[in-house]
Amino acid sequence: MVSASNDSQTPPLVSLAAGGVAGGVEAFTSYPMEFAKTRVQLRQQKGIPTPRNPFRVVTHVYQTEGLRALYKGCAALVVGSIAKDGVRFLFFDQIKHAFADKETGTLSPGRNLLAGMTAGVVASITAVTPTERIKTALIDDARNEKRFRSGFHATRVIWHEHGILGLYRGFAGTTLKQASATAFRMGTYNILKDYEKTRNIEQNTLVNFANGSVAGIVTTLTTQPFDVIKTRSQSAQGASTAEAVKSVLIDYGIRGFWKGTTMRLGRTVFSGGILFTSYEAAVKIIEPLYSGVKHKVVEVV
């Protein structure tokens, strides 16, 4: 990730804080689309086919279950996104700086993707898998048993019934998704930004949003199968990665691995723009504050 200050390295604490802010904003604003996508990827109830149009899903749930239902599992995703994106931006910025060309400050496309992949794996281990598990279980439970009262309650029940491994159900699928998604999302964004840097294209809010949206499209089309497998693994009852793959093939065949693509595109085009625009804006606000505090500490010492 090229920092807001272009050639200088973004301080680690700034990357962590700005990434967390961006992740929280992106997760909350785009959650209804995430909710609709997750509903479609879970197994259909007998005699009640799930529509493919995300707006129809959102409208139907709103009319029959109310606004709160559309944000079922949102708190878990927001908390996870704050941690996930804080970690992803932190590691990506540090790896990017270490691998960057010393003269131009840019990375080759391959190294951009490798930096993103590494950041994605770390994020999956530290934050994404357990929070995604809770979010998906809450959405699935809301249409069936309705035994989870909140994200905290769901965490307690899953921990009691399955231990810590229950919270890491779908770890393989989630990690594959995070590694590939972060590689393509952050890698694509940075490739575009490096290209624009060589063409002296001004980096403003509109350009950042457009770059983030393009990165979202690339990410969705290349990583959708991992997202479907992850969702099936993390349903209320849970399933192993192998069981999830088998269930998708039985239910829909190969095409099933791209189930929910339209809905995820609707979210990632929007959320990709929000994520990177929020990050760049947060860096511009947080970095001067951080520098001021650091300078005062040095003066006192």
PDB file of all heavy atoms in Angstrom, residues 65-95:
ATOM      1  N   GLU A  65     -39.001  -9.466   8.401  1.00  0.00           N
ATOM      2  CA  GLU A  65     -38.290  -9.624   9.665  1.00  0.00           C
ATOM      3  C   GLU A  65     -37.842  -8.305  10.295  1.00  0.00           C
ATOM      4  O   GLU A  65     -37.378  -8.293  11.434  1.00  0.00           O
ATOM      5  CB  GLU A  65     -37.081 -10.543   9.466  1.00  0.00           C
ATOM      6  CG  GLU A  65     -37.447 -11.929   8.935  1.00  0.00           C
ATOM      7  CD  GLU A  65     -36.210 -12.775   8.650  1.00  0.00           C
ATOM      8  OE1 GLU A  65     -35.336 -12.832   9.530  1.00  0.00           O
ATOM      9  OE2 GLU A  65     -36.126 -13.367   7.550  1.00  0.00           O
ATOM     10  N   GLY A  66     -37.932  -7.214   9.537  1.00  0.00           N
ATOM     11  CA  GLY A  66     -37.550  -5.920  10.084  1.00  0.00           C
ATOM     12  C   GLY A  66     -36.102  -5.541   9.815  1.00  0.00           C
ATOM     13  O   GLY A  66     -35.298  -6.354   9.367  1.00  0.00           O
ATOM     14  N   LEU A  67     -35.772  -4.269  10.108  1.00  0.00           N
ATOM     15  CA  LEU A  67     -34.433  -3.743   9.843  1.00  0.00           C
ATOM     16  C   LEU A  67     -33.357  -4.450  10.663  1.00  0.00           C
ATOM     17  O   LEU A  67     -32.252  -4.701  10.178  1.00  0.00           O
ATOM     18  CB  LEU A  67     -34.403  -2.238  10.146  1.00  0.00           C
ATOM     19  CG  LEU A  67     -33.064  -1.515   9.917  1.00  0.00           C
ATOM     20  CD1 LEU A  67     -32.671  -1.602   8.449  1.00  0.00           C
ATOM     21  CD2 LEU A  67     -33.162  -0.059  10.356  1.00  0.00           C
ATOM     22  N   ARG A  68     -33.675  -4.791  11.908  1.00  0.00           N
ATOM     23  CA  ARG A  68     -32.676  -5.434  12.773  1.00  0.00           C
ATOM     24  C   ARG A  68     -32.183  -6.752  12.181  1.00  0.00           C
ATOM     25  O   ARG A  68     -31.013  -7.124  12.350  1.00  0.00           O
ATOM     26  CB  ARG A  68     -33.263  -5.684  14.164  1.00  0.00           C
ATOM     27  CG  ARG A  68     -33.468  -4.414  14.988  1.00  0.00           C
ATOM     28  CD  ARG A  68     -33.964  -4.739  16.381  1.00  0.00           C
ATOM     29  NE  ARG A  68     -32.976  -5.516  17.133  1.00  0.00           N
ATOM     30  CZ  ARG A  68     -33.178  -5.997  18.358  1.00  0.00           C
ATOM     31  NH1 ARG A  68     -34.345  -5.769  18.962  1.00  0.00           N
ATOM     32  NH2 ARG A  68     -32.244  -6.683  18.970  1.00  0.00           N
ATOM     33  N   ALA A  69     -33.085  -7.460  11.472  1.00  0.00           N
ATOM     34  CA  ALA A  69     -32.705  -8.744  10.885  1.00  0.00           C
ATOM     35  C   ALA A  69     -31.611  -8.574   9.831  1.00  0.00           C
ATOM     36  O   ALA A  69     -30.745  -9.437   9.675  1.00  0.00           O
ATOM     37  CB  ALA A  69     -33.921  -9.420  10.261  1.00  0.00           C
ATOM     38  N   LEU A  70     -31.637  -7.451   9.107  1.00  0.00           N
ATOM     39  CA  LEU A  70     -30.638  -7.201   8.062  1.00  0.00           C
ATOM     40  C   LEU A  70     -29.247  -6.979   8.648  1.00  0.00           C
ATOM     41  O   LEU A  70     -28.252  -7.084   7.946  1.00  0.00           O
ATOM     42  CB  LEU A  70     -31.029  -5.977   7.229  1.00  0.00           C
ATOM     43  CG  LEU A  70     -32.163  -6.170   6.228  1.00  0.00           C
ATOM     44  CD1 LEU A  70     -32.524  -4.842   5.585  1.00  0.00           C
ATOM     45  CD2 LEU A  70     -31.767  -7.188   5.159  1.00  0.00           C
ATOM     46  N   TYR A  71     -29.198  -6.658   9.937  1.00  0.00           N
ATOM     47  CA  TYR A  71     -27.909  -6.429  10.589  1.00  0.00           C
ATOM     48  C   TYR A  71     -27.573  -7.537  11.591  1.00  0.00           C
ATOM     49  O   TYR A  71     -26.728  -7.354  12.458  1.00  0.00           O
ATOM     50  CB  TYR A  71     -27.892  -5.050  11.261  1.00  0.00           C
ATOM     51  CG  TYR A  71     -27.557  -3.954  10.272  1.00  0.00           C
ATOM     52  CD1 TYR A  71     -28.549  -3.365   9.506  1.00  0.00           C
ATOM     53  CD2 TYR A  71     -26.248  -3.549  10.067  1.00  0.00           C
ATOM     54  CE1 TYR A  71     -28.249  -2.376   8.565  1.00  0.00           C
ATOM     55  CE2 TYR A  71     -25.923  -2.573   9.145  1.00  0.00           C
ATOM     56  CZ  TYR A  71     -26.929  -1.986   8.397  1.00  0.00           C
ATOM     57  OH  TYR A  71     -26.612  -1.025   7.465  1.00  0.00           O
ATOM     58  N   LYS A  72     -28.254  -8.696  11.430  1.00  0.00           N
ATOM     59  CA  LYS A  72     -27.958  -9.856  12.267  1.00  0.00           C
ATOM     60  C   LYS A  72     -26.529 -10.313  11.984  1.00  0.00           C
ATOM     61  O   LYS A  72     -26.165 -10.612  10.848  1.00  0.00           O
ATOM     62  CB  LYS A  72     -28.927 -11.000  11.943  1.00  0.00           C
ATOM     63  CG  LYS A  72     -28.929 -12.128  12.961  1.00  0.00           C
ATOM     64  CD  LYS A  72     -29.693 -11.747  14.206  1.00  0.00           C
ATOM     65  CE  LYS A  72     -29.865 -12.929  15.155  1.00  0.00           C
ATOM     66  NZ  LYS A  72     -30.585 -12.549  16.374  1.00  0.00           N
ATOM     67  N   GLY A  73     -25.700 -10.354  13.001  1.00  0.00           N
ATOM     68  CA  GLY A  73     -24.305 -10.752  12.821  1.00  0.00           C
ATOM     69  C   GLY A  73     -23.394  -9.606  12.445  1.00  0.00           C
ATOM     70  O   GLY A  73     -22.186  -9.793  12.282  1.00  0.00           O
ATOM     71  N   CYS A  74     -23.961  -8.384  12.325  1.00  0.00           N
ATOM     72  CA  CYS A  74     -23.152  -7.241  11.899  1.00  0.00           C
ATOM     73  C   CYS A  74     -22.062  -6.892  12.914  1.00  0.00           C
ATOM     74  O   CYS A  74     -20.931  -6.593  12.541  1.00  0.00           O
ATOM     75  CB  CYS A  74     -24.051  -6.027  11.660  1.00  0.00           C
ATOM     76  SG  CYS A  74     -23.155  -4.551  11.120  1.00  0.00           S
ATOM     77  N   ALA A  75     -22.414  -6.914  14.201  1.00  0.00           N
ATOM     78  CA  ALA A  75     -21.433  -6.549  15.233  1.00  0.00           C
ATOM     79  C   ALA A  75     -20.194  -7.433  15.155  1.00  0.00           C
ATOM     80  O   ALA A  75     -19.061  -6.950  15.255  1.00  0.00           O
ATOM     81  CB  ALA A  75     -22.071  -6.647  16.614  1.00  0.00           C
ATOM     82  N   ALA A  76     -20.427  -8.736  14.947  1.00  0.00           N
ATOM     83  CA  ALA A  76     -19.289  -9.667  14.851  1.00  0.00           C
ATOM     84  C   ALA A  76     -18.420  -9.322  13.651  1.00  0.00           C
ATOM     85  O   ALA A  76     -17.187  -9.357  13.723  1.00  0.00           O
ATOM     86  CB  ALA A  76     -19.796 -11.105  14.731  1.00  0.00           C
ATOM     87  N   LEU A  77     -19.065  -8.972  12.524  1.00  0.00           N
ATOM     88  CA  LEU A  77     -18.302  -8.651  11.320  1.00  0.00           C
ATOM     89  C   LEU A  77     -17.544  -7.337  11.476  1.00  0.00           C
ATOM     90  O   LEU A  77     -16.392  -7.221  11.050  1.00  0.00           O
ATOM     91  CB  LEU A  77     -19.225  -8.570  10.101  1.00  0.00           C
ATOM     92  CG  LEU A  77     -18.497  -8.353   8.766  1.00  0.00           C
ATOM     93  CD1 LEU A  77     -17.650  -9.578   8.429  1.00  0.00           C
ATOM     94  CD2 LEU A  77     -19.484  -8.072   7.645  1.00  0.00           C
ATOM     95  N   VAL A  78     -18.182  -6.339  12.107  1.00  0.00           N
ATOM     96  CA  VAL A  78     -17.521  -5.046  12.297  1.00  0.00           C
ATOM     97  C   VAL A  78     -16.289  -5.195  13.189  1.00  0.00           C
ATOM     98  O   VAL A  78     -15.210  -4.689  12.868  1.00  0.00           O
ATOM     99  CB  VAL A  78     -18.501  -4.017  12.901  1.00  0.00           C
ATOM    100  CG1 VAL A  78     -17.743  -2.769  13.362  1.00  0.00           C
ATOM    101  CG2 VAL A  78     -19.556  -3.626  11.875  1.00  0.00           C
ATOM    102  N   VAL A  79     -16.458  -5.921  14.313  1.00  0.00           N
ATOM    103  CA  VAL A  79     -15.321  -6.147  15.216  1.00  0.00           C
ATOM    104  C   VAL A  79     -14.214  -6.903  14.474  1.00  0.00           C
ATOM    105  O   VAL A  79     -13.031  -6.545  14.557  1.00  0.00           O
ATOM    106  CB  VAL A  79     -15.762  -6.949  16.462  1.00  0.00           C
ATOM    107  CG1 VAL A  79     -14.544  -7.385  17.275  1.00  0.00           C
ATOM    108  CG2 VAL A  79     -16.685  -6.106  17.330  1.00  0.00           C
ATOM    109  N   GLY A  80     -14.625  -7.932  13.738  1.00  0.00           N
ATOM    110  CA  GLY A  80     -13.643  -8.701  12.984  1.00  0.00           C
ATOM    111  C   GLY A  80     -12.978  -7.869  11.906  1.00  0.00           C
ATOM    112  O   GLY A  80     -11.770  -8.019  11.659  1.00  0.00           O
ATOM    113  N   SER A  81     -13.734  -6.992  11.252  1.00  0.00           N
ATOM    114  CA  SER A  81     -13.179  -6.165  10.176  1.00  0.00           C
ATOM    115  C   SER A  81     -12.196  -5.135  10.710  1.00  0.00           C
ATOM    116  O   SER A  81     -11.191  -4.831  10.058  1.00  0.00           O
ATOM    117  CB  SER A  81     -14.312  -5.460   9.418  1.00  0.00           C
ATOM    118  OG  SER A  81     -15.108  -6.400   8.726  1.00  0.00           O
ATOM    119  N   ILE A  82     -12.493  -4.590  11.895  1.00  0.00           N
ATOM    120  CA  ILE A  82     -11.554  -3.645  12.504  1.00  0.00           C
ATOM    121  C   ILE A  82     -10.214  -4.331  12.752  1.00  0.00           C
ATOM    122  O   ILE A  82      -9.150  -3.796  12.420  1.00  0.00           O
ATOM    123  CB  ILE A  82     -12.130  -3.092  13.828  1.00  0.00           C
ATOM    124  CG1 ILE A  82     -13.318  -2.176  13.541  1.00  0.00           C
ATOM    125  CG2 ILE A  82     -11.054  -2.340  14.621  1.00  0.00           C
ATOM    126  CD1 ILE A  82     -14.072  -1.739  14.784  1.00  0.00           C
ATOM    127  N   ALA A  83     -10.281  -5.535  13.334  1.00  0.00           N
ATOM    128  CA  ALA A  83      -9.049  -6.287  13.594  1.00  0.00           C
ATOM    129  C   ALA A  83      -8.414  -6.765  12.297  1.00  0.00           C
ATOM    130  O   ALA A  83      -7.206  -6.617  12.084  1.00  0.00           O
ATOM    131  CB  ALA A  83      -9.361  -7.480  14.498  1.00  0.00           C
ATOM    132  N   LYS A  84      -9.238  -7.318  11.410  1.00  0.00           N
ATOM    133  CA  LYS A  84      -8.746  -7.881  10.147  1.00  0.00           C
ATOM    134  C   LYS A  84      -8.046  -6.835   9.301  1.00  0.00           C
ATOM    135  O   LYS A  84      -6.905  -7.050   8.846  1.00  0.00           O
ATOM    136  CB  LYS A  84      -9.914  -8.469   9.368  1.00  0.00           C
ATOM    137  CG  LYS A  84      -9.590  -8.868   7.931  1.00  0.00           C
ATOM    138  CD  LYS A  84     -10.846  -9.216   7.156  1.00  0.00           C
ATOM    139  CE  LYS A  84     -11.674  -7.976   6.852  1.00  0.00           C
ATOM    140  NZ  LYS A  84     -12.875  -8.271   6.050  1.00  0.00           N
ATOM    141  N   ASP A  85      -8.709  -5.708   9.069  1.00  0.00           N
ATOM    142  CA  ASP A  85      -8.128  -4.703   8.176  1.00  0.00           C
ATOM    143  C   ASP A  85      -6.995  -3.943   8.844  1.00  0.00           C
ATOM    144  O   ASP A  85      -6.068  -3.499   8.157  1.00  0.00           O
ATOM    145  CB  ASP A  85      -9.215  -3.755   7.673  1.00  0.00           C
ATOM    146  CG  ASP A  85     -10.107  -4.424   6.634  1.00  0.00           C
ATOM    147  OD1 ASP A  85      -9.568  -4.944   5.649  1.00  0.00           O
ATOM    148  OD2 ASP A  85     -11.332  -4.464   6.810  1.00  0.00           O
ATOM    149  N   GLY A  86      -7.058  -3.811  10.175  1.00  0.00           N
ATOM    150  CA  GLY A  86      -5.913  -3.241  10.866  1.00  0.00           C
ATOM    151  C   GLY A  86      -4.677  -4.095  10.637  1.00  0.00           C
ATOM    152  O   GLY A  86      -3.606  -3.594  10.273  1.00  0.00           O
ATOM    153  N   VAL A  87      -4.829  -5.404  10.819  1.00  0.00           N
ATOM    154  CA  VAL A  87      -3.715  -6.340  10.615  1.00  0.00           C
ATOM    155  C   VAL A  87      -3.292  -6.386   9.152  1.00  0.00           C
ATOM    156  O   VAL A  87      -2.095  -6.382   8.839  1.00  0.00           O
ATOM    157  CB  VAL A  87      -4.109  -7.756  11.096  1.00  0.00           C
ATOM    158  CG1 VAL A  87      -3.065  -8.782  10.664  1.00  0.00           C
ATOM    159  CG2 VAL A  87      -4.274  -7.778  12.608  1.00  0.00           C
ATOM    160  N   ARG A  88      -4.274  -6.430   8.235  1.00  0.00           N
ATOM    161  CA  ARG A  88      -3.949  -6.518   6.808  1.00  0.00           C
ATOM    162  C   ARG A  88      -3.161  -5.304   6.331  1.00  0.00           C
ATOM    163  O   ARG A  88      -2.144  -5.453   5.646  1.00  0.00           O
ATOM    164  CB  ARG A  88      -5.225  -6.663   5.981  1.00  0.00           C
ATOM    165  CG  ARG A  88      -5.863  -8.027   6.102  1.00  0.00           C
ATOM    166  CD  ARG A  88      -6.765  -8.354   4.932  1.00  0.00           C
ATOM    167  NE  ARG A  88      -7.873  -7.428   4.756  1.00  0.00           N
ATOM    168  CZ  ARG A  88      -8.854  -7.616   3.892  1.00  0.00           C
ATOM    169  NH1 ARG A  88      -8.849  -8.680   3.118  1.00  0.00           N
ATOM    170  NH2 ARG A  88      -9.840  -6.743   3.778  1.00  0.00           N
ATOM    171  N   PHE A  89      -3.617  -4.113   6.681  1.00  0.00           N
ATOM    172  CA  PHE A  89      -2.904  -2.911   6.244  1.00  0.00           C
ATOM    173  C   PHE A  89      -1.544  -2.798   6.921  1.00  0.00           C
ATOM    174  O   PHE A  89      -0.571  -2.365   6.303  1.00  0.00           O
ATOM    175  CB  PHE A  89      -3.751  -1.663   6.510  1.00  0.00           C
ATOM    176  CG  PHE A  89      -4.780  -1.391   5.453  1.00  0.00           C
ATOM    177  CD1 PHE A  89      -6.099  -1.759   5.641  1.00  0.00           C
ATOM    178  CD2 PHE A  89      -4.422  -0.777   4.256  1.00  0.00           C
ATOM    179  CE1 PHE A  89      -7.054  -1.518   4.657  1.00  0.00           C
ATOM    180  CE2 PHE A  89      -5.363  -0.533   3.267  1.00  0.00           C
ATOM    181  CZ  PHE A  89      -6.689  -0.897   3.464  1.00  0.00           C
ATOM    182  N   LEU A  90      -1.486  -3.183   8.204  1.00  0.00           N
ATOM    183  CA  LEU A  90      -0.218  -3.147   8.919  1.00  0.00           C
ATOM    184  C   LEU A  90       0.824  -4.017   8.228  1.00  0.00           C
ATOM    185  O   LEU A  90       1.920  -3.548   7.889  1.00  0.00           O
ATOM    186  CB  LEU A  90      -0.418  -3.617  10.361  1.00  0.00           C
ATOM    187  CG  LEU A  90       0.860  -3.899  11.171  1.00  0.00           C
ATOM    188  CD1 LEU A  90       1.668  -2.627  11.355  1.00  0.00           C
ATOM    189  CD2 LEU A  90       0.510  -4.510  12.529  1.00  0.00           C
ATOM    190  N   PHE A  91       0.483  -5.281   7.997  1.00  0.00           N
ATOM    191  CA  PHE A  91       1.435  -6.199   7.385  1.00  0.00           C
ATOM    192  C   PHE A  91       1.706  -5.849   5.927  1.00  0.00           C
ATOM    193  O   PHE A  91       2.852  -5.937   5.465  1.00  0.00           O
ATOM    194  CB  PHE A  91       0.940  -7.645   7.503  1.00  0.00           C
ATOM    195  CG  PHE A  91       1.290  -8.289   8.808  1.00  0.00           C
ATOM    196  CD1 PHE A  91       0.513  -8.089   9.935  1.00  0.00           C
ATOM    197  CD2 PHE A  91       2.433  -9.063   8.937  1.00  0.00           C
ATOM    198  CE1 PHE A  91       0.845  -8.663  11.153  1.00  0.00           C
ATOM    199  CE2 PHE A  91       2.783  -9.643  10.142  1.00  0.00           C
ATOM    200  CZ  PHE A  91       1.986  -9.442  11.259  1.00  0.00           C
ATOM    201  N   PHE A  92       0.674  -5.442   5.208  1.00  0.00           N
ATOM    202  CA  PHE A  92       0.886  -5.123   3.800  1.00  0.00           C
ATOM    203  C   PHE A  92       1.808  -3.912   3.656  1.00  0.00           C
ATOM    204  O   PHE A  92       2.719  -3.911   2.823  1.00  0.00           O
ATOM    205  CB  PHE A  92      -0.453  -4.842   3.107  1.00  0.00           C
ATOM    206  CG  PHE A  92      -0.316  -4.698   1.612  1.00  0.00           C
ATOM    207  CD1 PHE A  92      -0.242  -5.822   0.796  1.00  0.00           C
ATOM    208  CD2 PHE A  92      -0.251  -3.447   1.016  1.00  0.00           C
ATOM    209  CE1 PHE A  92      -0.104  -5.701  -0.574  1.00  0.00           C
ATOM    210  CE2 PHE A  92      -0.109  -3.320  -0.360  1.00  0.00           C
ATOM    211  CZ  PHE A  92      -0.044  -4.449  -1.154  1.00  0.00           C
ATOM    212  N   ASP A  93       1.582  -2.895   4.457  1.00  0.00           N
ATOM    213  CA  ASP A  93       2.430  -1.704   4.381  1.00  0.00           C
ATOM    214  C   ASP A  93       3.890  -2.031   4.710  1.00  0.00           C
ATOM    215  O   ASP A  93       4.805  -1.543   4.053  1.00  0.00           O
ATOM    216  CB  ASP A  93       1.920  -0.629   5.347  1.00  0.00           C
ATOM    217  CG  ASP A  93       0.784   0.187   4.760  1.00  0.00           C
ATOM    218  OD1 ASP A  93       0.546   0.086   3.545  1.00  0.00           O
ATOM    219  OD2 ASP A  93       0.122   0.926   5.509  1.00  0.00           O
ATOM    220  N   GLN A  94       4.098  -2.868   5.749  1.00  0.00           N
ATOM    221  CA  GLN A  94       5.467  -3.202   6.147  1.00  0.00           C
ATOM    222  C   GLN A  94       6.160  -4.074   5.096  1.00  0.00           C
ATOM    223  O   GLN A  94       7.320  -3.860   4.753  1.00  0.00           O
ATOM    224  CB  GLN A  94       5.464  -3.918   7.507  1.00  0.00           C
ATOM    225  CG  GLN A  94       4.838  -3.098   8.639  1.00  0.00           C
ATOM    226  CD  GLN A  94       5.368  -1.680   8.700  1.00  0.00           C
ATOM    227  OE1 GLN A  94       6.568  -1.465   8.802  1.00  0.00           O
ATOM    228  NE2 GLN A  94       4.470  -0.706   8.639  1.00  0.00           N
ATOM    229  N   ILE A  95       5.428  -5.064   4.572  1.00  0.00           N
ATOM    230  CA  ILE A  95       5.996  -5.946   3.547  1.00  0.00           C
ATOM    231  C   ILE A  95       6.251  -5.167   2.269  1.00  0.00           C
ATOM    232  O   ILE A  95       7.274  -5.328   1.609  1.00  0.00           O
ATOM    233  CB  ILE A  95       5.053  -7.135   3.267  1.00  0.00           C
ATOM    234  CG1 ILE A  95       4.938  -8.008   4.519  1.00  0.00           C
ATOM    235  CG2 ILE A  95       5.558  -7.976   2.094  1.00  0.00           C
ATOM    236  CD1 ILE A  95       3.833  -9.042   4.443  1.00  0.00           C
TER     237      ILE A  95
END
